[in-house]
């Protein structure tokens, strides 16, 4: 009787490269904490609605970019005041600013969820905001983020704000998504753009398909669109209104729609926390499946 031959079966290579990292990218104003522009106006002892109507809205009506208009308004206000708005003032403002309830606890909860599913996966947090980087970098939640990008002031010799040094517009936010993907230290520091589609997935720090973006408004729509195109997860948040009012105000197109829309509530059993947890679970299991295919 002929003896059956033994055949050595080898597991095929994984169909996709494995990246053991997930990124959650947050907007800041009205996503993790109250709007910093409005809160700063209040801290200066001014009426927010009056300040907007008298100083900000006329610039907007004259065609100013909204980020440039906000910064110009504050610079002009600082010039009018005896006590100037300084770098130290913004640092103290950031230290005093309170994030929404249980935002601080969110980070450890999500990290623990990742560890429970697959201890070999790293979870990284980032902020991309059109608000004040100096303020965000000095909040109590700043240490949880690998990188924080926002608009920057240039300061005078006495520390007072003088003009806008770095601006992050709605569309520029997507450039920082590419920066996270590339893992490079500089954002177009040499004047060259990062061509995401020209780089193999194995060379990426984190592919866009393994990113979760959380934002509250029109400034986040370009990021919604990019991640939708690349298979990432997009979560919209709103504060004080209904989901219907948010949708009417933002007016997203088909390609810009969010995976879920929830109130900016970070308590353990909230819809937003359930959404973030499910998003984490989904990405972790995809990575685990790739690891299984490769035999890790």
């Amino acid at each position: 009787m002929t003896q059956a031959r033994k055949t050595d079966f080898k597991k095929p290579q994984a169909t996709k490269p494995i990246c053991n990292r997930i990124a959650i990218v947050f907007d800041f104003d009205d996503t993790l904490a109250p709007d910093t522009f409005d809160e700063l106006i209040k801290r200066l002892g001014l009426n927010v609605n009056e300040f907007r109507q008298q100083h900000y809205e006329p610039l907007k009506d004259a065609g100013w970019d909204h980020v440039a208009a906000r910064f110009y308004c504050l610079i002009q206000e600082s010039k009018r005041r005896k006590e100037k708005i300084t770098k130290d003032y913004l640092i103290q403002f950031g230290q005093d600013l309170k994030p929404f309830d249980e935002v601080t606890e969110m980070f450890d909860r999500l990290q623990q969820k990742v560890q429970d599913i697959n201890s070999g996966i790293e979870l990284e947090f980032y902020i991309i905001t059109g608000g004040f980087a100096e303020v965000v970098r000095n909040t109590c939640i700043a240490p949880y983020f690998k990188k924080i990008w926002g608009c920057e002031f240039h300061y005078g010799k006495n520390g007072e704000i003088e003009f806008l040094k770095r601006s992050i517009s709605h569309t520029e936010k997507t450039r920082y998504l590419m920066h996270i993907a590339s893992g490079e230290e500089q954002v177009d520091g040499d004047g060259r753009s990062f061509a995401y589609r020209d780089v193999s997935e194995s060379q990426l720090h984190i592919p866009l398909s393994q990113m979760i973006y959380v934002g509250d408004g029109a400034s986040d729509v370009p990021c919604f669109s990019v991640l939708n195109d690349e298979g990432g997860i997009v979560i919209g948040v709103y504060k004080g209104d209904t989901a219907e009012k948010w949708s009417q105000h933002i007016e997203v197109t088909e390609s810009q729609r969010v995976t879920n829309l929830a109130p900016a509530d970070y308590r353990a059993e909230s819809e937003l926390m359930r959404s973030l947890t499910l998003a984490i679970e989904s990405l972790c299991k995809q990575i685990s499946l790739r690891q299984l295919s490769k035999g890790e």
Side-chain angles (χ1 to χ4, degrees):
M1 187 172 181
T2 305
Q3 187 176 7
R5 289 185 302 171
K6 293 182 178 179
T7 304
D8 292 330
F9 291 98
K10 292 183 179 180
K11 288 190 176 183
Q13 290 294 314
T15 55
K16 290 185 177 181
I18 298 172
C19 172
N20 295 343
R21 300 184 195 92
I22 294 170
I24 305 184
V25 186
F26 291 92
D27 175 45
F28 187 80
D29 289 2
D30 281 337
T31 297
L32 293 172
D35 184 280
T36 50
F37 180 76
D38 288 352
E39 293 299 308
L40 184 55
I41 297 304
K42 292 177 188 176
R43 189 182 178 99
L44 293 169
L46 302 170
N47 180 283
V48 173
N49 290 333
E50 290 180 2
F51 188 86
R52 282 181 170 274
Q53 291 170 6
Q54 295 172 11
H55 303 288
Y56 174 74
E57 294 299 338
L59 295 177
K60 284 281 289 175
D61 293 342
W64 281 59
D65 172 78
H66 87 103
V67 173
R70 292 174 78 169
F71 276 72
Y72 182 79
C73 286
L74 288 174
I75 291 167
Q76 295 304 110
E77 178 61 29
S78 180
K79 290 178 178 179
R80 288 190 290 267
R81 303 174 74 90
K82 183 177 180 181
E83 297 293 329
K84 306 300 183 186
I85 302 173
T86 63
K87 181 176 182 178
D88 288 344
Y89 188 93
L90 294 176
I91 289 172
Q92 186 62 55
F93 172 59
Q95 292 171 349
D96 295 340
L97 186 68
K98 303 297 183 187
F100 294 142
D101 289 346
E102 298 197 29
V103 165
T104 305
E105 291 84 352
M106 168 195 66
F107 302 103
D108 290 336
R109 286 177 187 148
L110 295 179
Q111 289 284 11
Q112 187 59 55
K113 188 65 180 179
V114 171
Q115 291 301 303
D116 291 344
I117 298 172
N118 186 333
S119 61
I121 297 175
E122 298 175 22
L123 176 60
E124 299 178 351
F125 299 104
Y126 297 86
I127 282 181
I128 306 172
T129 177
F132 315 115
E134 199 75 67
V135 171
V136 180
R137 283 197 294 259
N138 286 281
T139 60
C140 62
I141 60 175
Y144 291 100
F145 295 94
K146 183 168 183 179
K147 286 282 187 179
I148 295 171
W149 294 287
C151 300
E152 307 262 9
F153 283 111
H154 169 77
Y155 302 100
K157 61 181 180 180
N158 296 318
E160 70 276 14
I161 59 175
E162 283 198 338
F163 49 84
L164 181 60
K165 181 172 72 173
R166 179 187 296 274
S167 173
I168 298 182
S169 65
H170 297 6
T171 54
E172 277 206 324
K173 281 190 169 187
T174 62
R175 184 162 64 113
Y176 292 86
L177 287 182
M178 301 305 172
H179 179 52
I180 296 169
S182 73
E184 296 175 358
E185 287 300 314
Q186 297 295 323
V187 182
D188 294 352
D190 57 3
R192 293 181 298 175
S193 296
F194 174 71
Y196 180 81
R197 293 178 184 272
D198 292 341
V199 177
S200 69
E201 194 167 319
S202 61
Q203 295 176 289
L204 296 172
H205 179 69
I206 303 176
L208 295 174
S209 58
Q210 289 175 205
M211 291 187 194
I212 302 164
Y213 187 90
V214 186
D216 75 292
S219 69
D220 305 300
V221 167
C223 290
F224 292 171
S225 183
V226 167
L227 284 194
N228 279 333
D229 287 347
E230 298 295 336
I233 297 173
V234 176
I235 298 174
V237 300
Y238 60 92
K239 184 176 71 73
D241 281 325
T242 64
E244 289 76 15
K245 285 186 178 179
W246 185 92
S247 298
Q248 292 168 4
H249 175 66
I250 302 303
E251 297 182 342
V252 295
T253 65
E254 184 73 27
S255 67
Q256 298 162 346
R257 289 186 177 179
V258 297
T259 307
N260 195 23
L261 178 61
D265 178 358
Y266 293 87
R267 290 174 295 179
E269 300 304 319
S270 70
E271 182 181 354
L272 179 54
M273 280 305 301
R274 292 199 303 272
S275 299
L276 286 168
T277 301
L278 287 170
I280 287 289
E281 287 180 357
S282 174
L283 293 178
C284 283
K285 288 176 180 178
Q286 288 178 41
I287 294 170
S288 297
L289 181 59
R290 292 186 193 180
Q291 290 174 336
L292 182 65
S293 175
K294 198 171 182 180
E296 289 190 3

